[in-house]
Amino acid sequence: MGSTSAANHGGGGVGRRDLIKRSAALGLLTLPTAGFLSACASSGGDSQDKAKAGKKTAQNPLAVNDTAQMEFVLFDGGFGKEYAEDAVKIYEQNFPKAEVKFSATQKIQSTLQPRFNQGTPPDLIDNSGAEQMDMGVLVGKNQLADLTPLLDAPSYDDPDKKVRDTLRPGIVEMGQFDGDPVWIFYYAYTVYGVWYSQKALNALDEQYPETWDQMLAVCAKAKKKGIAGWTYAGKYPYYIPFSLYPMIGKVGGRDVLDAIDNLEPNAWKHPAVKACFEAYYELYKKGYILKGTPGLDHIQSQTAWAQGKALFLPNGSWVENESANVIPEDFDLAVSAPTGLDSSDRMPFGTIWASGAEPFVVPAKAKNPAGGMEQLRIMLSEASSKSFTAKVKSLSAYNGGTTGIILTPGLKSGQAALEKAGDNVVNPRIQDWYVKLQKEQIGVAGLGEMMAGRMTPAEAITKIQGFADEAAKDTSIKHYKHQ
Amino acid sequence: MQHGKYRFIVGFLAMPLGLYALFVVWPFIQSIYYSFTDWTGLSPDFKMVGLDNYTRMFDDKIFWKSLQHSLLFAVLLPLVTISLALFFSFMINVGGRRRRGGPVVSGVRGSSFYKIVYFFPQVLSIAIVALLFAFAYNPDSGAINSLLRGIGLDSVQPLWLGDPNLALWCVMAVLVWSTVGFFVVLFSAGMASIPADLYEAALLDGASRVTTFFRITLPLLWDTVQSGWVYMGILALGAESFAVVQIMTTGPGGPDYSTTVMVLYVYQKAFRDGQAAYATTIGVALLVVTLAFAAIVMRLGRRERLEY
C-alpha cells in the first residue's frame, strides 16, 4: 500500500486503491445509507461562531487568534503523517495558548462529508486519496476559502518575500478554477513521465530515446533479448496519459493540450493527437507491450517492470515510494520526459508534465481559517519542506529545499528532468477538472481499448472526441477554461 | 382484560416498528425525495429539479448498460449457484452409495469433509475473495494462466479481467465460488430434516438417485430453495456484486463498461462525481428492480405447502 501522491491527482487515483478502503466503501453503499447521508443535508445550519481575528504582527501576518482552536485533518496515505505532525508541533510552539486538534485518516470523504453538510468543517484539510471529495463541486458550492491572503503573506523564512514567490511553477494556477481566487493548495510536487532503469538501458547499450524511431529501435533491441518495451497499468489505463499528454504537447504545442482541457470541438482531431496515438498503437502492433498488460493493475505492472520484464513505464514520481519493496537496489531508477516524434516537434525534448499534488484546502465555513492558512505557511518553510522531501521521497511545492539532503535516485532524476525542462513544463488539467471523462472514458474506454489492440487510433479518437463533446454539453458538471 | 389486548400488542410492536420506520423506511423516503433535487452530496444547499434526474437517467447509456448487467446477475447467478448448491448438498447428504450396515441414505464418502470445504469461502470476507481472484486472474503471473502454461497450453493465455468479453463472466464465477458454500450448508440442513423413510420407500420401489432428487428432495426443500433464490438475487444486485466489481475490474467497471453494475454506478455518481441526487435516482431504479425480482420469484415459486 505504499503509495504516495497517486491519488491526489485525479489521474493517478488508484495509488491508494487498497483493500481496506474498498471494503469500507461497502458500508456506504446501500440506498438506506444514501438516505442517511442525505439526512445530514437538510439539517445543515450555518454556524457563525468564527474565531475573532488576532493581532497582526510580523510574526503573525495572517492575524491568527492565538487562543482559538485549530483543527487539521490529514489524509494518512503514502506520505504518512509524520511531516504534518512536525509542522503541527511548530504551530503549537508559535501559539502555545491555542489548542490544535490534529487527526489523520484515510477516509476523508466519509469523515468530512457530513461535517460539510452540517456547516462545521475543520480548518485545514488534506483532501486526498481514494476518498477525495470532488474539488469542482466544493468550489462550485462555495465551500472553500480563498487562499490569496496566504499567498500574499510574507514567507516563513524571509519576510521580504511573499509565499507566492517561493513556490514551484504551476502551483498557484492549479489551485484556481475560474478567475483569481486560489481554492486549493497543492503541497507535493509530482513529476510525470517515462520511468525506466538506467541499468537496463546500459545493458542494452542504449540511451533514453529522443525520437520515436529511436524508441522503436530500443524496443526492437529489447525484444530480441526477451524484454518487452513497455508496460502500463492495464486495468487503470489512465496512467498512459502521464507520458502521452506531454508527448502531444511536445509534438503539437501547448495549445493542443489547452484545447483538450477546454473541451473544444475537435480538439482530439488535431494531427498531433493522431500522430501520438498512432505512435503508441505501433508499440502494440509491433508486440513491444508486455504480454498480458491489459489485465495488470498498477502494482502488478510496476512489479513486472521492476523485475526487468519491461523497459518503460508511464507513471508519476510516487512510483519510487510505492514500488520501493520490489525495485532492486541497483535498479538505478530514472525518469525522462517523453520521447517525441522527430525534430519537427513544436517543443524541445525535455518537455515534461509536472504539477502539484496532495491538495490542501481551507473550508469557507471553517471556524479558524486564518489558523489553517498559518499552518500551511509553516509547512512552506524551507525546513518543513526539507523534512517532507527527506521523509517521503517527494518534492514539495516549495521551490528548492533539496540542498543538503540525500536524494534517492528517482528523486534526483526527477529534479534533473525538471531542470532540463526549464519553462517547458506542461500541466494538463483535464484530470482534475473532469475526473470521470479522464479516467473512465478517455482512460479505460478509449486508451485502454486502443492499447489492448481492440480499437484503432482513428476509432479511439472518434470515441474520445464523442466523450469530450458529451462532457462539454453535460449541464450537470461544471466547466472550466484555461485563463 | 379484553380491552387491554391491543394496547398490549401495540406495546410490543411500537419499538421494533419505530426502529424499522426510522432506520429503513425513512431513509427510503428521503432517498426518493432527494432524487428530485440537484443535491451534490458536498454542500447543504440544493433545489428541486422535478423529474430532471429521471429523464437524464433514461437517456444515460451507461445506466442501461449497468441495468442490463445487474439483471443478468440477478437471473444467472441464483440459477447457477442454487443448482450447484443443490447438487452438492444432495451428494453430501443423499447421493452416497449404500454401504453395508450403514443407514439407508447417506452422503458420498468423505461428505463431512466436503461440507467444511464448501463452506470455507463463506468464512472469507468478500473483499479478500475478490482480491485473491484478482491475483489469480493476473494474465502475466496469475495462478490460472500459470496453470495453463504448466499443462502446455502456452497459446491459451486469456486476458481475463482485461478482456471485455470475458470480464463479466470472471466476476460472476467469483460470486458463485464465494456464495455456493452457504447454500450447500443451508440446503444440507433442509435435507437433514426430510424423513429417511421417504427415501427408503422410494428406494424399495427402485427409484434412481435422479428420481429421488426430483420427486422427493426438491419438492420437500422448495421453501428453502425459494428463499435462497431471493437472497441470492439480492446479493447479486447489491453489495456483493459491488465489492467484486469495484475491487477486481478494470477502471473499475470496465474494460469499456463491460462489468459496470447498478450499485457501482450509484457509488461512482455519489462519491466520485459529487452527484448524490442523481445517485439516489439510480438507487430508486435499483429499488424497483430488487422489489420486482423478489415479487417475481415469490409469484413463480408459489406452491402448495407439503406437510411431512
Short mmCIF file of all heavy atoms in Angstrom, two decimals, chain A residues 19 22 26 31-32 35-36 38-39 41-42 109 113 117 134 137 141 143 235 292 296 309 436 440-441 445 449 454 463, chain B residues 23 27-28 30-31 34 39-41 43-44 56 127 138-140 162 164 242 246-248 250-251 255-257 271-272 275:
data_model
loop_
_atom_site.label_atom_id
_atom_site.label_comp_id
_atom_site.label_asym_id
_atom_site.label_seq_id
_atom_site.Cartn_x
_atom_site.Cartn_y
_atom_site.Cartn_z
N LEU A 19 -7.41 -2.48 -0.28
CA LEU A 19 -8.46 -3.34 0.19
C LEU A 19 -9.34 -2.72 1.26
O LEU A 19 -10.56 -2.76 1.18
CB LEU A 19 -7.79 -4.60 0.70
CG LEU A 19 -8.63 -5.54 1.48
CD1 LEU A 19 -9.65 -6.16 0.56
CD2 LEU A 19 -7.74 -6.60 2.07
N ARG A 22 -11.78 -0.14 0.20
CA ARG A 22 -12.83 -0.64 -0.66
C ARG A 22 -13.87 -1.39 0.12
O ARG A 22 -15.05 -1.28 -0.13
CB ARG A 22 -12.23 -1.54 -1.71
CG ARG A 22 -11.50 -0.70 -2.70
CD ARG A 22 -10.97 -1.58 -3.74
NE ARG A 22 -10.76 -0.79 -4.92
CZ ARG A 22 -10.43 -1.29 -6.07
NH1 ARG A 22 -10.32 -2.57 -6.21
NH2 ARG A 22 -10.23 -0.54 -7.08
N LEU A 26 -18.06 -0.42 1.04
CA LEU A 26 -19.26 -1.24 1.02
C LEU A 26 -20.32 -0.70 1.96
O LEU A 26 -21.50 -0.69 1.65
CB LEU A 26 -18.92 -2.65 1.51
CG LEU A 26 -18.29 -3.55 0.49
CD1 LEU A 26 -18.00 -4.86 1.14
CD2 LEU A 26 -19.23 -3.70 -0.65
N LEU A 31 -28.94 1.91 -0.54
CA LEU A 31 -29.87 3.01 -0.65
C LEU A 31 -30.17 3.65 0.70
O LEU A 31 -30.12 4.86 0.84
CB LEU A 31 -31.14 2.47 -1.30
CG LEU A 31 -32.13 3.51 -1.73
CD1 LEU A 31 -31.57 4.32 -2.88
CD2 LEU A 31 -33.41 2.83 -2.17
N PRO A 32 -30.44 2.85 1.72
CA PRO A 32 -30.72 3.49 3.02
C PRO A 32 -29.58 4.38 3.47
O PRO A 32 -29.80 5.46 4.00
CB PRO A 32 -30.89 2.30 3.97
CG PRO A 32 -31.23 1.17 3.11
CD PRO A 32 -30.62 1.41 1.77
N GLY A 35 -29.61 7.58 2.03
CA GLY A 35 -30.63 8.36 2.71
C GLY A 35 -30.10 9.00 3.97
O GLY A 35 -30.38 10.15 4.25
N PHE A 36 -29.28 8.24 4.70
CA PHE A 36 -28.72 8.78 5.94
C PHE A 36 -27.84 9.96 5.68
O PHE A 36 -27.90 10.97 6.35
CB PHE A 36 -27.92 7.72 6.68
CG PHE A 36 -28.77 6.96 7.62
CD1 PHE A 36 -28.92 5.60 7.49
CD2 PHE A 36 -29.43 7.62 8.63
CE1 PHE A 36 -29.72 4.90 8.35
CE2 PHE A 36 -30.23 6.93 9.50
CZ PHE A 36 -30.38 5.56 9.36
N SER A 38 -28.01 11.82 3.22
CA SER A 38 -28.78 12.96 2.79
C SER A 38 -29.50 13.58 3.98
O SER A 38 -29.80 14.76 3.98
CB SER A 38 -29.77 12.54 1.71
OG SER A 38 -30.53 11.45 2.15
N ALA A 39 -29.75 12.76 4.99
CA ALA A 39 -30.40 13.29 6.17
C ALA A 39 -29.60 14.46 6.72
O ALA A 39 -30.15 15.42 7.25
CB ALA A 39 -30.54 12.21 7.23
N ALA A 41 -28.02 16.50 5.00
CA ALA A 41 -28.07 17.67 4.13
C ALA A 41 -29.10 18.67 4.61
O ALA A 41 -28.84 19.86 4.61
CB ALA A 41 -28.40 17.23 2.72
N SER A 42 -30.23 18.14 5.01
CA SER A 42 -31.27 19.10 5.34
C SER A 42 -31.10 19.68 6.73
O SER A 42 -31.70 20.68 7.06
CB SER A 42 -32.64 18.45 5.20
OG SER A 42 -32.55 17.08 5.44
N GLN A 109 -13.55 11.41 2.81
CA GLN A 109 -14.94 11.69 2.45
C GLN A 109 -15.93 11.26 3.52
O GLN A 109 -16.79 12.02 3.93
CB GLN A 109 -15.28 11.02 1.13
CG GLN A 109 -16.72 11.22 0.75
CD GLN A 109 -16.88 11.54 -0.72
OE1 GLN A 109 -16.06 11.17 -1.53
NE2 GLN A 109 -17.93 12.26 -1.05
N GLN A 113 -17.54 14.55 4.82
CA GLN A 113 -18.73 14.94 4.05
C GLN A 113 -19.90 15.37 4.96
O GLN A 113 -20.49 16.41 4.74
CB GLN A 113 -19.15 13.80 3.13
CG GLN A 113 -20.25 14.20 2.18
CD GLN A 113 -20.36 13.25 1.00
OE1 GLN A 113 -19.51 12.42 0.77
NE2 GLN A 113 -21.42 13.38 0.24
N ASN A 117 -21.77 19.07 5.25
CA ASN A 117 -23.21 19.23 5.15
C ASN A 117 -23.80 19.93 6.36
O ASN A 117 -24.82 20.60 6.26
CB ASN A 117 -23.87 17.86 4.95
CG ASN A 117 -23.82 17.43 3.50
OD1 ASN A 117 -23.93 18.25 2.61
ND2 ASN A 117 -23.63 16.15 3.27
N ASP A 134 -14.89 15.74 -4.29
CA ASP A 134 -14.77 16.38 -5.59
C ASP A 134 -14.54 17.88 -5.44
O ASP A 134 -15.36 18.62 -4.91
CB ASP A 134 -16.05 16.13 -6.38
CG ASP A 134 -15.92 16.55 -7.83
OD1 ASP A 134 -15.81 17.76 -8.11
OD2 ASP A 134 -15.91 15.66 -8.68
N VAL A 137 -16.98 20.33 -7.23
CA VAL A 137 -18.25 20.53 -6.54
C VAL A 137 -18.04 21.44 -5.33
O VAL A 137 -18.82 22.36 -5.08
CB VAL A 137 -18.86 19.19 -6.11
CG1 VAL A 137 -20.15 19.41 -5.35
CG2 VAL A 137 -19.11 18.32 -7.33
N LYS A 141 -19.91 24.99 -5.05
CA LYS A 141 -20.89 25.24 -4.00
C LYS A 141 -20.35 26.19 -2.93
O LYS A 141 -20.87 26.23 -1.81
CB LYS A 141 -21.30 23.91 -3.35
CG LYS A 141 -22.13 23.05 -4.28
CD LYS A 141 -23.57 23.53 -4.34
CE LYS A 141 -24.34 22.76 -5.40
NZ LYS A 141 -25.71 23.25 -5.54
N GLN A 143 -17.77 26.17 -0.96
CA GLN A 143 -17.43 25.55 0.32
C GLN A 143 -15.98 25.82 0.73
O GLN A 143 -15.57 25.43 1.82
CB GLN A 143 -17.65 24.03 0.24
CG GLN A 143 -19.10 23.62 0.11
CD GLN A 143 -19.89 23.94 1.35
OE1 GLN A 143 -19.48 23.65 2.46
NE2 GLN A 143 -21.03 24.58 1.18
N LYS A 235 -5.24 -2.17 -16.06
CA LYS A 235 -6.58 -2.08 -15.51
C LYS A 235 -6.97 -0.63 -15.23
O LYS A 235 -8.13 -0.32 -15.05
CB LYS A 235 -6.67 -2.86 -14.20
CG LYS A 235 -6.85 -4.36 -14.43
CD LYS A 235 -6.76 -5.07 -13.12
CE LYS A 235 -7.86 -6.05 -12.90
NZ LYS A 235 -7.78 -6.62 -11.56
N GLY A 292 -0.04 -9.58 -21.68
CA GLY A 292 -0.94 -9.61 -20.53
C GLY A 292 -1.14 -8.27 -19.86
O GLY A 292 -1.90 -8.17 -18.90
N LEU A 296 -3.28 -6.26 -16.06
CA LEU A 296 -2.50 -5.97 -14.85
C LEU A 296 -2.99 -4.69 -14.19
O LEU A 296 -3.36 -3.74 -14.87
CB LEU A 296 -1.02 -5.77 -15.22
CG LEU A 296 -0.30 -6.93 -15.90
CD1 LEU A 296 1.16 -6.56 -16.14
CD2 LEU A 296 -0.38 -8.18 -15.04
N LYS A 309 10.98 -7.14 -16.69
CA LYS A 309 10.26 -7.74 -17.81
C LYS A 309 9.92 -6.71 -18.88
O LYS A 309 9.60 -7.06 -20.00
CB LYS A 309 8.96 -8.38 -17.31
CG LYS A 309 9.19 -9.63 -16.47
CD LYS A 309 7.85 -10.23 -16.08
CE LYS A 309 8.03 -11.37 -15.09
NZ LYS A 309 6.74 -11.77 -14.52
N LYS A 436 -14.24 11.98 -14.31
CA LYS A 436 -14.89 10.86 -14.98
C LYS A 436 -14.45 10.77 -16.44
O LYS A 436 -14.13 9.69 -16.94
CB LYS A 436 -16.41 11.03 -14.89
CG LYS A 436 -17.16 10.00 -15.65
CD LYS A 436 -18.65 10.26 -15.64
CE LYS A 436 -19.32 9.49 -16.74
NZ LYS A 436 -20.65 9.96 -17.02
N GLU A 440 -12.54 7.25 -16.67
CA GLU A 440 -13.41 6.18 -17.12
C GLU A 440 -13.57 6.19 -18.63
O GLU A 440 -13.63 5.14 -19.27
CB GLU A 440 -14.76 6.40 -16.43
CG GLU A 440 -15.77 5.36 -16.66
CD GLU A 440 -17.04 5.73 -15.88
OE1 GLU A 440 -16.94 5.93 -14.66
OE2 GLU A 440 -18.10 5.84 -16.52
N GLN A 441 -13.62 7.41 -19.22
CA GLN A 441 -13.95 7.47 -20.63
C GLN A 441 -12.70 7.51 -21.50
O GLN A 441 -12.47 6.60 -22.29
CB GLN A 441 -14.85 8.68 -20.88
CG GLN A 441 -16.14 8.55 -20.05
CD GLN A 441 -17.16 9.62 -20.33
OE1 GLN A 441 -16.82 10.78 -20.44
NE2 GLN A 441 -18.41 9.24 -20.44
N ALA A 445 -12.15 3.46 -21.46
CA ALA A 445 -12.90 3.11 -22.66
C ALA A 445 -12.18 3.51 -23.94
O ALA A 445 -12.47 2.97 -25.00
CB ALA A 445 -14.29 3.75 -22.61
N GLU A 449 -8.66 0.52 -24.49
CA GLU A 449 -9.09 -0.35 -25.57
C GLU A 449 -8.10 -0.29 -26.74
O GLU A 449 -7.80 -1.31 -27.35
CB GLU A 449 -10.49 0.05 -26.06
CG GLU A 449 -11.58 -0.21 -25.03
CD GLU A 449 -11.73 -1.69 -24.70
OE1 GLU A 449 -12.24 -2.43 -25.54
OE2 GLU A 449 -11.31 -2.10 -23.60
N ARG A 454 -7.87 -3.48 -29.28
CA ARG A 454 -9.26 -3.73 -29.65
C ARG A 454 -9.87 -2.55 -30.41
O ARG A 454 -11.06 -2.55 -30.70
CB ARG A 454 -10.08 -4.05 -28.39
CG ARG A 454 -9.67 -5.36 -27.74
CD ARG A 454 -10.62 -5.77 -26.64
NE ARG A 454 -10.48 -4.94 -25.46
CZ ARG A 454 -9.81 -5.31 -24.37
NH1 ARG A 454 -9.24 -6.50 -24.31
NH2 ARG A 454 -9.72 -4.51 -23.34
N LYS A 463 -14.08 8.08 -30.66
CA LYS A 463 -14.80 7.76 -29.43
C LYS A 463 -14.51 8.80 -28.35
O LYS A 463 -15.43 9.30 -27.69
CB LYS A 463 -14.36 6.37 -28.95
CG LYS A 463 -15.30 5.76 -27.94
CD LYS A 463 -14.93 4.31 -27.70
CE LYS A 463 -15.81 3.68 -26.64
NZ LYS A 463 -15.35 2.33 -26.28
N PHE B 23 -35.05 3.72 10.66
CA PHE B 23 -33.79 3.36 10.02
C PHE B 23 -33.95 2.72 8.65
O PHE B 23 -32.97 2.54 7.94
CB PHE B 23 -32.98 2.45 10.93
CG PHE B 23 -32.44 3.17 12.11
CD1 PHE B 23 -32.97 2.95 13.38
CD2 PHE B 23 -31.42 4.09 11.98
CE1 PHE B 23 -32.49 3.64 14.47
CE2 PHE B 23 -30.93 4.78 13.07
CZ PHE B 23 -31.48 4.56 14.32
N PRO B 27 -35.22 6.52 5.56
CA PRO B 27 -34.17 6.74 4.56
C PRO B 27 -34.64 6.48 3.14
O PRO B 27 -34.25 7.18 2.21
CB PRO B 27 -33.08 5.76 4.96
CG PRO B 27 -33.30 5.51 6.39
CD PRO B 27 -34.76 5.62 6.61
N PHE B 28 -35.51 5.47 2.98
CA PHE B 28 -36.03 5.19 1.65
C PHE B 28 -36.81 6.40 1.14
O PHE B 28 -36.61 6.86 0.01
CB PHE B 28 -36.97 3.98 1.67
CG PHE B 28 -36.25 2.68 1.45
CD1 PHE B 28 -35.77 1.94 2.50
CD2 PHE B 28 -36.05 2.21 0.15
CE1 PHE B 28 -35.09 0.76 2.28
CE2 PHE B 28 -35.38 1.03 -0.07
CZ PHE B 28 -34.90 0.30 1.00
N GLN B 30 -36.58 9.43 2.13
CA GLN B 30 -35.66 10.54 1.89
C GLN B 30 -34.93 10.39 0.56
O GLN B 30 -34.78 11.35 -0.18
CB GLN B 30 -34.63 10.57 3.01
CG GLN B 30 -35.13 11.34 4.20
CD GLN B 30 -33.96 11.85 5.00
OE1 GLN B 30 -32.99 11.14 5.17
NE2 GLN B 30 -34.04 13.06 5.46
N SER B 31 -34.47 9.15 0.30
CA SER B 31 -33.74 8.94 -0.95
C SER B 31 -34.62 9.28 -2.13
O SER B 31 -34.16 9.89 -3.10
CB SER B 31 -33.31 7.49 -1.06
OG SER B 31 -32.40 7.21 -0.05
N TYR B 34 -34.76 12.96 -2.40
CA TYR B 34 -33.55 13.59 -2.92
C TYR B 34 -33.35 13.34 -4.41
O TYR B 34 -32.62 14.06 -5.07
CB TYR B 34 -32.32 13.14 -2.14
CG TYR B 34 -32.22 13.84 -0.81
CD1 TYR B 34 -32.42 13.15 0.37
CD2 TYR B 34 -31.96 15.19 -0.76
CE1 TYR B 34 -32.38 13.81 1.58
CE2 TYR B 34 -31.91 15.86 0.45
CZ TYR B 34 -32.12 15.16 1.61
OH TYR B 34 -32.08 15.81 2.80
N TRP B 39 -29.04 17.90 -5.39
CA TRP B 39 -28.09 17.83 -4.29
C TRP B 39 -26.77 17.19 -4.74
O TRP B 39 -26.76 16.18 -5.42
CB TRP B 39 -28.71 17.02 -3.15
CG TRP B 39 -27.85 16.96 -1.93
CD1 TRP B 39 -27.19 17.98 -1.35
CD2 TRP B 39 -27.57 15.80 -1.15
NE1 TRP B 39 -26.52 17.54 -0.23
CE2 TRP B 39 -26.74 16.21 -0.09
CE3 TRP B 39 -27.95 14.46 -1.24
CZ2 TRP B 39 -26.27 15.32 0.86
CZ3 TRP B 39 -27.49 13.58 -0.29
CH2 TRP B 39 -26.66 14.01 0.75
N THR B 40 -25.64 17.82 -4.35
CA THR B 40 -24.34 17.29 -4.77
C THR B 40 -23.79 16.28 -3.78
O THR B 40 -22.96 15.46 -4.13
CB THR B 40 -23.30 18.42 -4.85
OG1 THR B 40 -23.24 19.04 -3.56
CG2 THR B 40 -23.67 19.44 -5.90
N GLY B 41 -24.23 16.36 -2.54
CA GLY B 41 -23.65 15.50 -1.52
C GLY B 41 -22.51 16.17 -0.79
O GLY B 41 -21.97 15.62 0.16
N SER B 43 -22.54 19.76 -0.14
CA SER B 43 -22.92 21.01 0.50
C SER B 43 -24.40 20.94 0.84
O SER B 43 -25.15 20.21 0.21
CB SER B 43 -22.62 22.20 -0.40
OG SER B 43 -23.79 22.58 -1.10
N PRO B 44 -24.81 21.70 1.85
CA PRO B 44 -26.20 21.56 2.30
C PRO B 44 -27.22 22.24 1.40
O PRO B 44 -28.41 22.10 1.64
CB PRO B 44 -26.19 22.19 3.69
CG PRO B 44 -24.96 23.02 3.76
CD PRO B 44 -24.02 22.56 2.72
N ARG B 56 -32.83 12.27 -17.34
CA ARG B 56 -31.42 12.09 -17.62
C ARG B 56 -31.05 10.60 -17.55
O ARG B 56 -30.31 10.09 -18.38
CB ARG B 56 -30.62 12.88 -16.59
CG ARG B 56 -29.15 12.78 -16.81
CD ARG B 56 -28.41 13.61 -15.80
NE ARG B 56 -27.05 13.13 -15.73
CZ ARG B 56 -26.27 13.30 -14.68
NH1 ARG B 56 -26.70 13.94 -13.63
NH2 ARG B 56 -25.05 12.82 -14.69
N ALA B 127 -14.29 -9.07 0.22
CA ALA B 127 -13.21 -8.21 -0.28
C ALA B 127 -11.94 -9.02 -0.48
O ALA B 127 -11.22 -8.86 -1.46
CB ALA B 127 -12.98 -7.07 0.69
N ASN B 138 -4.51 -12.48 -12.90
CA ASN B 138 -3.39 -11.74 -13.48
C ASN B 138 -2.84 -12.49 -14.70
O ASN B 138 -2.36 -13.61 -14.57
CB ASN B 138 -2.32 -11.58 -12.40
CG ASN B 138 -1.06 -10.92 -12.90
OD1 ASN B 138 -0.84 -10.80 -14.10
ND2 ASN B 138 -0.23 -10.46 -11.98
N PRO B 139 -2.92 -11.89 -15.89
CA PRO B 139 -2.54 -12.64 -17.09
C PRO B 139 -1.04 -12.93 -17.15
O PRO B 139 -0.62 -13.86 -17.84
CB PRO B 139 -2.94 -11.72 -18.25
CG PRO B 139 -3.59 -10.54 -17.66
CD PRO B 139 -3.34 -10.53 -16.19
N ASP B 140 -0.26 -12.13 -16.48
CA ASP B 140 1.20 -12.27 -16.56
C ASP B 140 1.70 -13.35 -15.62
O ASP B 140 2.43 -14.25 -16.01
CB ASP B 140 1.83 -10.92 -16.23
CG ASP B 140 3.34 -10.99 -16.17
OD1 ASP B 140 3.92 -11.57 -17.11
OD2 ASP B 140 3.93 -10.49 -15.20
N GLY B 162 -9.08 -8.31 -18.27
CA GLY B 162 -8.71 -7.26 -19.22
C GLY B 162 -9.44 -7.41 -20.54
O GLY B 162 -9.28 -6.61 -21.45
N PRO B 164 -12.97 -7.47 -22.53
CA PRO B 164 -14.37 -7.11 -22.32
C PRO B 164 -15.35 -8.27 -22.51
O PRO B 164 -16.46 -8.23 -21.97
CB PRO B 164 -14.63 -6.00 -23.35
CG PRO B 164 -13.38 -5.79 -24.07
CD PRO B 164 -12.32 -6.68 -23.56
N PHE B 242 -21.18 -5.33 -5.96
CA PHE B 242 -20.39 -4.09 -5.90
C PHE B 242 -18.95 -4.40 -5.51
O PHE B 242 -18.01 -3.94 -6.14
CB PHE B 242 -20.99 -3.11 -4.89
CG PHE B 242 -20.08 -1.95 -4.60
CD1 PHE B 242 -19.97 -0.92 -5.50
CD2 PHE B 242 -19.31 -1.94 -3.45
CE1 PHE B 242 -19.10 0.13 -5.26
CE2 PHE B 242 -18.45 -0.88 -3.20
CZ PHE B 242 -18.36 0.16 -4.10
N GLN B 246 -15.93 -3.58 -7.94
CA GLN B 246 -15.10 -2.45 -7.53
C GLN B 246 -13.65 -2.88 -7.29
O GLN B 246 -12.72 -2.18 -7.65
CB GLN B 246 -15.69 -1.83 -6.25
CG GLN B 246 -14.79 -0.89 -5.50
CD GLN B 246 -14.80 0.52 -6.06
OE1 GLN B 246 -15.35 0.76 -7.12
NE2 GLN B 246 -14.17 1.44 -5.37
N ILE B 247 -13.46 -4.04 -6.72
CA ILE B 247 -12.10 -4.44 -6.37
C ILE B 247 -11.38 -5.07 -7.56
O ILE B 247 -10.21 -4.82 -7.78
CB ILE B 247 -12.12 -5.41 -5.18
CG1 ILE B 247 -12.65 -4.69 -3.95
CG2 ILE B 247 -10.72 -5.96 -4.90
CD1 ILE B 247 -12.92 -5.59 -2.78
N MET B 248 -12.10 -5.87 -8.34
CA MET B 248 -11.40 -6.66 -9.33
C MET B 248 -11.25 -6.02 -10.70
O MET B 248 -10.29 -6.27 -11.40
CB MET B 248 -12.12 -8.00 -9.52
CG MET B 248 -11.96 -8.95 -8.37
SD MET B 248 -13.05 -10.37 -8.59
CE MET B 248 -12.54 -10.97 -10.17
N THR B 250 -11.25 -3.68 -14.23
CA THR B 250 -10.56 -2.56 -14.85
C THR B 250 -11.36 -1.29 -14.65
O THR B 250 -12.54 -1.27 -14.95
CB THR B 250 -10.45 -2.84 -16.36
OG1 THR B 250 -9.76 -4.04 -16.53
CG2 THR B 250 -9.74 -1.73 -17.06
N GLY B 251 -10.73 -0.30 -14.20
CA GLY B 251 -11.40 1.01 -14.17
C GLY B 251 -11.79 1.57 -12.82
O GLY B 251 -11.25 2.55 -12.44
N PRO B 255 -13.31 -3.53 -18.63
CA PRO B 255 -12.95 -2.62 -19.72
C PRO B 255 -14.15 -2.22 -20.56
O PRO B 255 -14.99 -3.06 -20.86
CB PRO B 255 -11.95 -3.44 -20.55
CG PRO B 255 -12.15 -4.84 -20.15
CD PRO B 255 -12.71 -4.84 -18.78
N ASP B 256 -14.14 -0.95 -20.92
CA ASP B 256 -15.18 -0.40 -21.77
C ASP B 256 -16.58 -0.70 -21.24
O ASP B 256 -17.45 -1.15 -21.96
CB ASP B 256 -15.02 -0.93 -23.21
CG ASP B 256 -15.70 0.00 -24.21
OD1 ASP B 256 -16.07 1.11 -23.80
OD2 ASP B 256 -15.86 -0.39 -25.37
N TYR B 257 -16.79 -0.47 -19.96
CA TYR B 257 -18.10 -0.61 -19.31
C TYR B 257 -18.65 -2.03 -19.36
O TYR B 257 -19.85 -2.23 -19.20
CB TYR B 257 -19.12 0.35 -19.93
CG TYR B 257 -18.70 1.79 -19.83
CD1 TYR B 257 -18.28 2.49 -20.94
CD2 TYR B 257 -18.70 2.42 -18.60
CE1 TYR B 257 -17.88 3.80 -20.83
CE2 TYR B 257 -18.30 3.73 -18.48
CZ TYR B 257 -17.89 4.42 -19.60
OH TYR B 257 -17.48 5.71 -19.48
N PHE B 271 -20.07 9.30 -4.89
CA PHE B 271 -18.82 9.54 -4.17
C PHE B 271 -17.65 9.94 -5.06
O PHE B 271 -16.64 10.36 -4.57
CB PHE B 271 -18.46 8.32 -3.33
CG PHE B 271 -19.51 8.02 -2.30
CD1 PHE B 271 -20.37 6.96 -2.47
CD2 PHE B 271 -19.66 8.84 -1.21
CE1 PHE B 271 -21.36 6.71 -1.54
CE2 PHE B 271 -20.64 8.60 -0.28
CZ PHE B 271 -21.50 7.54 -0.43
N ARG B 272 -17.78 9.76 -6.37
CA ARG B 272 -16.71 10.24 -7.22
C ARG B 272 -17.11 11.53 -7.91
O ARG B 272 -16.35 12.48 -7.97
CB ARG B 272 -16.35 9.18 -8.27
CG ARG B 272 -15.15 9.59 -9.11
CD ARG B 272 -15.00 8.72 -10.34
NE ARG B 272 -16.19 8.84 -11.20
CZ ARG B 272 -16.45 8.03 -12.21
NH1 ARG B 272 -15.65 7.03 -12.47
NH2 ARG B 272 -17.53 8.19 -12.94
N GLN B 275 -22.51 13.81 -7.40
CA GLN B 275 -23.88 13.98 -7.89
C GLN B 275 -24.80 13.06 -7.09
O GLN B 275 -25.39 12.12 -7.62
CB GLN B 275 -23.96 13.64 -9.38
CG GLN B 275 -23.05 14.51 -10.22
CD GLN B 275 -23.06 14.14 -11.68
OE1 GLN B 275 -23.72 13.21 -12.11
NE2 GLN B 275 -22.30 14.88 -12.46
#
